[in-house]
Amino acid sequence: MHAMILAAGKGSRLGERTREMPKPMIEVNGKPILEKNIVMCKNIGITKIFINLFHLPQKIMDYFGDGSQYGVEIKYNLEDVLLGTAGAVLGFKEDLIKKPFFVIYGDNYTDFDLNILRQFNEKHYADMSILFHRRDDISRSGIANFSKNNRLLDFVEKPTNLKKIPGWVNAGIYYIFNTEIINKIRLFDDFAHDFIPTLIEQKYRIYGLKKDVDLLAVDTPELLNQVIKK
């Protein structure tokens, strides 16, 4: 198995914190969030990891190098312009199209066992599976409607008409089994805004695993403070 970790974003909502530090390099318990994600991949036997870079890329490459100190091989792609989260996959297309792979948002902080999502995907013979986790406030997150067996019927990123209510939201961890679907990606496509809704519309088998996992996406100062307090 392979994995791609998205690490190119500027993290502008974190203000001064990311002016001179890539968001995935923010430290929690003395180690960068990105390191936690690399170890999470290693723990299930992933040995090749692809990381896209844009904002302050050298700080990430200097810290992790070729990945050998973690028992993995890391390959980087430096984006000249910031691509979409899905478009970033195209920088590694020749490698990723060969076998199923995970996509992980680099600002995720979690101990989730990735094998659970892979096994869920196998059970449903899915082209792609998405991890969903519970939040007390779903108004600023990607949400979905599910069939009785958890196939996605539609997907909306950050709906504008929702109140602050609890529910299941996109956790930013994907497992792509049918790698041929990446041929449908365009450079500036975003997974949540563009790619996932397109796949659903075209009747691909996209499933959502609803799991009450301890996961925080470090998008805002408030969420970062929650992570730091752990």
Side-chain angles (χ1 to χ4, degrees), residues 130-159:
I130 302 167
L131 176 65
F132 286 80
H133 71 123
R134 286 194 67 83
R135 273 194 184 174
D136 294 332
D137 175 12
I138 66 173
S139 62
R140 295 183 297 173
S141 304
I143 63 171
N145 289 321
F146 303 88
S147 70
K148 289 183 179 180
N149 69 340
N150 292 318
R151 185 169 178 171
L152 269 65
L153 302 175
D154 61 43
F155 184 91
V156 182
E157 175 69 357
K158 297 181 176 63

Side-chain angles (χ1 to χ4, degrees), residues 90-173:
L90 298 180
F92 306 106
K93 182 178 177 179
E94 290 186 6
D95 292 296
L96 294 177
I97 204 165
K98 295 176 182 177
K99 61 177 64 178
F101 64 96
F102 290 92
V103 176
I104 301 164
Y105 287 25
D107 57 357
N108 276 343
Y109 187 84
T110 182
D111 289 314
F112 177 67
D113 181 351
L114 295 171
N115 268 326
I116 296 173
L117 186 61
R118 179 181 60 80
Q119 292 163 2
F120 171 86
N121 192 92
E122 292 175 354
K123 176 183 176 181
H124 291 283
Y125 302 99
D127 295 304
M128 174 181 178
S129 290
I130 302 167
L131 176 65
F132 286 80
H133 71 123
R134 286 194 67 83
R135 273 194 184 174
D136 294 332
D137 175 12
I138 66 173
S139 62
R140 295 183 297 173
S141 304
I143 63 171
N145 289 321
F146 303 88
S147 70
K148 289 183 179 180
N149 69 340
N150 292 318
R151 185 169 178 171
L152 269 65
L153 302 175
D154 61 43
F155 184 91
V156 182
E157 175 69 357
K158 297 181 176 63
T160 57
N161 58 345
L162 281 183
K163 297 180 180 179
K164 291 185 177 181
I165 57 174
W168 296 100
V169 303
N170 177 15
I173 297 179

Side-chain angles (χ1 to χ4, degrees), residues 173-210:
I173 297 179
Y174 312 133
Y175 180 68
I176 297 178
F177 177 77
N178 176 9
T179 59
E180 292 296 324
I181 64 177
I182 69 178
N183 287 317
K184 295 183 173 294
I185 297 175
R186 300 166 299 182
L187 274 179
F188 297 100
D189 276 357
D190 179 84
F191 272 107
H193 285 287
D194 308 301
F195 188 53
I196 296 170
T198 295
L199 294 177
I200 295 170
E201 182 180 351
Q202 295 181 7
K203 308 301 182 183
Y204 282 92
R205 295 177 61 83
I206 312 301
Y207 280 76
L209 170 62
K210 293 181 280 190

